[in-house]
Amino acid sequence: MKFELLKTTGHARRGRLTLNHGCVETPIFMPVGTYGTVKGVTPQSLEDMGAQIILGNTFHLWMRPGLEVIGLFKGLHGFEKWSKPILTDSGGFQVWSLGAMRKISEEGVKFSSPVNGDKLFLTPEISIQIQTTLNSDIVMQFDECTPYEINGVLTSEKDARSSMELSLRWAKRCREEFSRLENPNALFGIVQGGMFENLREESLSALVEMDLPGYAVGGVSVGEPKDEMLRIMAHTPHRLPPNKPRYLMGVGTPEDLVAGVQSGVDMFDCVMPTRNARNGHYFTRFGDLKIRNARYKADLLPIDPTCSCYTCAGTTHAGGFSRAYLHHLDRCGEMLGPMLASIHNLHYFLNLTKEMREALDADNFCAFTTQFHANRSRGI
Amino acid sequence: MKFELLKTTGHARRGRLTLNHGCVETPIFMPVGTYGTVKGVTPQSLEDMGAQIILGNTFHLWMRPGLEVIGLFKGLHGFEKWSKPILTDSGGFQVWSLGAMRKISEEGVKFSSPVNGDKLFLTPEISIQIQTTLNSDIVMQFDECTPYEINGVLTSEKDARSSMELSLRWAKRCREEFSRLENPNALFGIVQGGMFENLREESLSALVEMDLPGYAVGGVSVGEPKDEMLRIMAHTPHRLPPNKPRYLMGVGTPEDLVAGVQSGVDMFDCVMPTRNARNGHYFTRFGDLKIRNARYKADLLPIDPTCSCYTCAGTTHAGGFSRAYLHHLDRCGEMLGPMLASIHNLHYFLNLTKEMREALDADNFCAFTTQFHANRSRGI
């Protein structure tokens, strides 16, 4: 893996990541393909909309179809027919999300398979073994996600510290397994520490000492209030080594992406574009639009007349789809509704990061952010 | 409308239909787009797979979004962004299917809207008015579909005769309304008569006397045994005027399409490719394949290695999707599963009619049908 820092404006960065399956221009948004498919879109459509790297979820793919099947394809790329880079998470967040169904120890996490009830054990070593079979370009360390609160009680600094320290010990075990397996890809470490800036700094220092090829900020977007998320986003990323890529996990809204880049983040992922699409929630340059609203019943305009996605602009033959048509598809429960909404929303998120890259290239990132906020609050 | 009969081999015909929105090479399969969308595929994808004409359902579109909305788009083409020809049915079959919820009289059919319970009335005149607003290239007459049986009792010849004669009177009312409205498209008549060949011949003669631009065979594929359907298919189509297009409504399997062309049919429609796709049922040259079957869990082959659809052959970048991957998508309930199955099945039906056209052009239709049956029974 190679990372070139092409330009810096304040904390904001323009970079280029070279991975085993290709190049990624940063800042970048990464569509989420949990089960080996970005929900509701074909790989061809992802390419058409300019996706450069997508995610896969280690935990889900381990459950279904399982490693034996993915091994036959020599990794996730061949299985899902995506030839550009892939990043996989470690499965840590998913087993943590199982709540009462899992038990965390120093060794790893014991849990029952939500698919068939089998007793399973996920450890840093096993996570790296799975990700090695997946052959993802970017491998994430196995970590424990520090909760924001448990049953309404905020996580104490003491608990956040032991959680963060456990993640650090797991990071070291991940690195050992990663090099024992001679995994040819790039292992990223994950900064934890909950909402405590001093813990974030300790986590960061220890990880930087490990000299990993890239770093993520984890444990955000886990149920904390928005201002807490923004506080950590403003605190941590720019403290990471400037010559390494920085990934903010699970974030977020278009506004979060812009704030993230301003805070020095290079990479984002979030299920929001596709999940919201399935509920008829469209993101646009001029604010969001709920297509279910009766006001769109006879609206001849496309979702966003300035958007160049297939949903809004169509092909050269026929122009884009109207809000009235998309409203109708939603009302009839037609599959084409979520399909077109997913195309639009993913295109919007990808295009937003593209516009940020262009603004950074042209040295007008500050003007871009002003215009971005004015546009978004204008209303569609 | 113009119909050119390019070549005849036995009853089988190679033709070309010129409609207001373009040319249709026959024999042709027409994908069904009930609510203004062929379920699970984009208009772009339909074009890519060679669709030349698609269906819309008058009854469904009248219910939702309603004529007021479609009128804003000056018809169905603009609403659903499909620029090639469209055929609409008359709504007759759908109101007939409402069973106890409707009452048929000389004037038309009274029924309760299945969407909101409103009392509605559909007549030959109203059906033509709706289809004129839809601006479909081919308008179907409003008819009464003669049932095969009611509560296990076969329809008598007497009942089949009165039903057939009602449809004839409705055909005349349709023609009058069609010309009163100066509808610029083509009105097709529908031969009825149930399972009685003498009634079919009477219906046909009376319709031919009306000199309509095209004719359909209706009242098949309505629950009758397969051999009854094949008997009517062998009886009626070739008796229709040779210089007019012939459409067999609601049929059928790949074997039915080949038998239909052998019997002199030019046009087919059926929901089977898309409906079966949503249940993981793939049609192929070498027989059908149920992707849910566990035998495909680790199968690296595409659905049909000889198929050139996106699902089987992919793009130049990456090759086609494997059965193992499609099995996995089905098992996980991922939307991409029905999307890729719909692309494949529609492509298969469209390609089958394309191969029949090519065989007719090359004067080897007989050899084609022999090979077709050998291939289909070979097994995939």
Side-chain angles (χ1 to χ4, degrees):
Chain A
M1 194 204 88
K2 190 172 90 176
F3 180 70
E4 297 159 81
L5 187 60
L6 303 174
K7 192 170 259 183
T8 304
T9 304
H11 292 318
R13 296 134 57 86
R14 173 76 178 86
R16 181 175 300 134
L17 197 54
T18 306
L19 298 160
N20 284 337
H21 286 85
C23 218
V24 175
E25 303 289 335
T26 65
I28 188 64
F29 175 76
M30 305 182 283
V32 179
T34 300
Y35 271 119
T37 159
V38 176
K39 287 185 195 297
V41 296
T42 63
Q44 179 59 50
S45 178
L46 281 171
E47 274 205 35
D48 291 347
M49 61 177 82
Q52 300 183 55
I53 173 171
I54 64 174
L55 253 74
N57 282 114
T58 288
F59 175 78
H60 291 86
L61 292 163
W62 185 33
M63 298 291 108
R64 295 187 292 190
L67 297 188
E68 208 178 313
V69 171
I70 293 183
L72 293 174
F73 292 86
K74 306 197 192 320
L76 189 52
H77 288 88
F79 181 62
E80 68 179 26
K81 292 294 170 193
W82 173 254
S83 56
K84 295 185 177 183
I86 294 176
L87 179 150
T88 47
D89 67 359
S90 68
F93 183 76
Q94 276 75 26
V95 289
W96 174 81
S97 303
L98 294 173
M101 289 170 66
R102 49 89 179 138
K103 195 171 175 309
I104 301 176
S105 67
E106 181 68 32
E107 180 59 14
V109 184
K110 282 207 167 75
F111 66 100
S112 300
S113 161
V115 172
N116 58 19
D118 283 0
K119 299 279 173 212
L120 294 168
F121 195 38
L122 190 56
T123 65
E125 290 77 14
I126 294 171
S127 172
I128 296 301
Q129 289 157 19
I130 299 169
Q131 293 183 78
T132 301
T133 299
L134 295 175
N135 194 27
S136 45
D137 298 77
I138 297 177
V139 169
M140 298 305 299
Q141 75 150 96
F142 190 68
D143 63 340
E144 191 203 24
C145 183
T146 308
Y148 177 69
E149 57 176 10
I150 297 177
N151 301 326
V153 180
L154 296 193
T155 300
S156 67
E157 182 171 342
K158 180 164 169 288
D159 288 348
R161 170 177 294 281
S162 19
S163 169
M164 177 272 281
E165 289 173 347
L166 178 64
S167 287
L168 283 179
R169 293 191 296 276
W170 284 359
K172 298 200 172 84
R173 285 167 56 189
C174 285
R175 188 174 57 174
E176 277 165 38
E177 187 66 7
F178 189 86
S179 73
R180 187 185 74 82
L181 295 172
E182 297 177 6
N183 184 313
N185 298 301
L187 175 67
F188 278 31
I190 304 176
V191 178
Q192 291 286 355
M195 298 297 133
F196 302 94
E197 297 178 359
N198 57 318
L199 298 183
R200 290 273 170 190
E201 286 167 36
E202 282 188 43
S203 171
L204 188 154
S205 301
L207 287 166
V208 168
E209 209 157 295
M210 288 176 69
D211 193 27
L212 293 164
Y215 295 102
V217 176
V220 290
S221 215
V222 293
E224 74 280 9
K226 188 84 180 194
D227 59 343
E228 290 285 81
M229 192 271 269
L230 293 173
R231 181 169 61 79
I232 296 303
M233 186 162 80
H235 169 269
T236 308
H238 71 87
R239 289 181 157 80
L240 286 161
N243 58 334
K244 308 253 172 115
R246 303 160 175 175
Y247 163 30
L248 183 61
M249 302 180 83
V251 172
T253 66
E255 282 72 14
D256 293 340
L257 264 59
V258 173
V261 171
Q262 285 178 308
S263 304
V265 176
D266 305 308
M267 305 159 71
F268 303 86
D269 80 287
C270 192
V271 295
M272 217 183 269
T274 42
R275 178 177 292 167
N276 289 21
R278 295 194 299 280
N279 292 314
H281 179 136
Y282 284 80
F283 292 95
T284 89
R285 183 186 298 279
F286 302 108
D288 298 352
L289 183 158
K290 307 267 175 68
I291 201 64
R292 210 153 289 174
N293 196 312
R295 69 191 282 197
Y296 300 120
K297 187 176 164 42
D299 190 335
L300 302 186
L301 287 176
I303 293 293
D304 174 1
T306 75
C307 175
S308 63
C309 82
Y310 173 64
T311 305
C312 289
T315 60
T316 47
H317 301 294
F321 299 90
S322 63
R323 297 171 188 177
Y325 181 66
L326 299 168
H327 173 82
H328 164 74
L329 293 179
D330 180 78
R331 206 167 152 229
C332 296
E334 284 286 349
M335 214 198 316
L336 188 59
M339 285 165 62
L340 292 175
S342 299
I343 288 174
H344 171 84
N345 280 352
L346 286 170
H347 178 276
Y348 173 74
F349 273 67
L350 288 164
N351 190 58
L352 174 59
T353 51
K354 179 167 173 261
E355 287 184 351
M356 287 199 273
R357 291 195 300 273
E358 288 167 355
L360 288 162
D361 283 336
D363 288 320
N364 61 359
F365 185 64
C366 185
F368 169 86
T369 61
T370 307
Q371 187 64 50
F372 166 81
H373 291 293
N375 283 342
R376 283 279 293 170
S377 57
R378 189 201 82 171
I380 186 77
Chain B
M1 193 203 88
K2 190 172 88 173
F3 180 68
E4 298 159 82
L5 186 60
L6 304 174
K7 191 170 261 185
T8 304
T9 304
H11 292 317
R13 297 133 55 84
R14 172 76 178 87
R16 182 174 300 132
L17 197 56
T18 307
L19 298 161
N20 284 337
H21 286 85
C23 217
V24 175
E25 303 289 336
T26 65
I28 188 65
F29 176 77
M30 305 182 285
V32 178
T34 300
Y35 271 120
T37 159
V38 176
K39 289 187 193 296
V41 296
T42 63
Q44 178 60 50
S45 177
L46 282 170
E47 275 206 36
D48 292 347
M49 60 178 83
Q52 301 183 54
I53 173 169
I54 65 174
L55 253 72
N57 283 112
T58 289
F59 175 79
H60 291 87
L61 292 163
W62 184 32
M63 298 292 107
R64 295 186 291 191
L67 297 187
E68 209 179 312
V69 171
I70 292 182
L72 293 174
F73 292 86
K74 306 196 192 318
L76 188 51
H77 287 88
F79 181 62
E80 69 180 25
K81 291 294 170 196
W82 173 254
S83 56
K84 296 186 177 181
I86 294 176
L87 178 152
T88 47
D89 66 0
S90 67
F93 183 78
Q94 276 74 28
V95 288
W96 174 82
S97 304
L98 293 173
M101 288 172 67
R102 49 90 178 137
K103 196 170 173 307
I104 301 176
S105 67
E106 182 67 32
E107 180 59 14
V109 185
K110 283 209 166 77
F111 66 100
S112 299
S113 159
V115 173
N116 58 20
D118 284 359
K119 298 280 175 212
L120 294 169
F121 194 39
L122 191 56
T123 66
E125 290 77 15
I126 294 171
S127 172
I128 297 301
Q129 289 157 20
I130 299 170
Q131 293 184 77
T132 301
T133 299
L134 295 175
N135 193 27
S136 44
D137 298 76
I138 297 177
V139 170
M140 299 306 298
Q141 74 150 97
F142 190 67
D143 62 340
E144 192 204 22
C145 183
T146 308
Y148 177 69
E149 59 175 9
I150 297 177
N151 300 326
V153 181
L154 295 193
T155 301
S156 67
E157 183 172 342
K158 181 166 169 285
D159 287 349
R161 171 177 294 281
S162 22
S163 169
M164 178 272 280
E165 289 172 349
L166 178 64
S167 286
L168 282 179
R169 293 191 296 277
W170 285 359
K172 297 198 173 87
R173 286 167 56 188
C174 283
R175 190 177 53 176
E176 277 164 38
E177 187 66 7
F178 190 84
S179 74
R180 188 185 73 79
L181 295 172
E182 298 178 5
N183 185 313
N185 298 302
L187 175 65
F188 278 31
I190 304 177
V191 178
Q192 291 287 355
M195 298 298 132
F196 302 94
E197 297 178 1
N198 56 319
L199 298 182
R200 289 273 169 191
E201 286 167 35
E202 281 188 44
S203 171
L204 187 153
S205 300
L207 287 166
V208 167
E209 210 158 294
M210 289 176 66
D211 193 27
L212 293 164
Y215 295 102
V217 177
V220 291
S221 214
V222 294
E224 74 280 10
K226 188 84 181 194
D227 59 343
E228 289 287 80
M229 193 270 269
L230 293 174
R231 182 169 60 80
I232 296 302
M233 186 161 81
H235 169 269
T236 309
H238 71 87
R239 289 180 156 81
L240 286 161
N243 59 334
K244 308 251 171 117
R246 303 160 176 174
Y247 162 31
L248 183 63
M249 302 181 80
V251 172
T253 64
E255 282 72 14
D256 294 340
L257 264 61
V258 172
V261 170
Q262 286 179 308
S263 306
V265 176
D266 305 308
M267 304 160 71
F268 303 87
D269 81 285
C270 192
V271 295
M272 216 182 269
T274 43
R275 179 177 293 166
N276 289 20
R278 296 194 297 282
N279 293 313
H281 179 136
Y282 283 80
F283 292 96
T284 89
R285 183 186 299 279
F286 302 108
D288 298 352
L289 183 157
K290 306 268 175 66
I291 201 64
R292 210 154 289 172
N293 195 311
R295 67 192 282 196
Y296 300 120
K297 189 177 162 44
D299 189 335
L300 302 187
L301 286 176
I303 293 293
D304 174 1
T306 74
C307 175
S308 64
C309 82
Y310 174 63
T311 305
C312 290
T315 60
T316 48
H317 299 296
F321 299 91
S322 63
R323 298 172 187 176
Y325 181 66
L326 298 168
H327 172 83
H328 165 73
L329 293 179
D330 180 78
R331 205 164 155 230
C332 295
E334 284 286 349
M335 213 195 320
L336 188 60
M339 287 166 61
L340 292 175
S342 299
I343 288 174
H344 171 84
N345 281 352
L346 287 170
H347 178 275
Y348 173 74
F349 273 67
L350 289 164
N351 189 58
L352 174 58
T353 51
K354 179 167 173 259
E355 287 184 350
M356 287 198 273
R357 292 195 300 274
E358 288 167 355
L360 288 163
D361 283 337
D363 288 320
N364 62 358
F365 185 64
C366 184
F368 170 85
T369 60
T370 306
Q371 186 64 52
F372 166 81
H373 290 293
N375 282 342
R376 283 280 293 171
S377 58
R378 190 199 82 174
I380 186 79

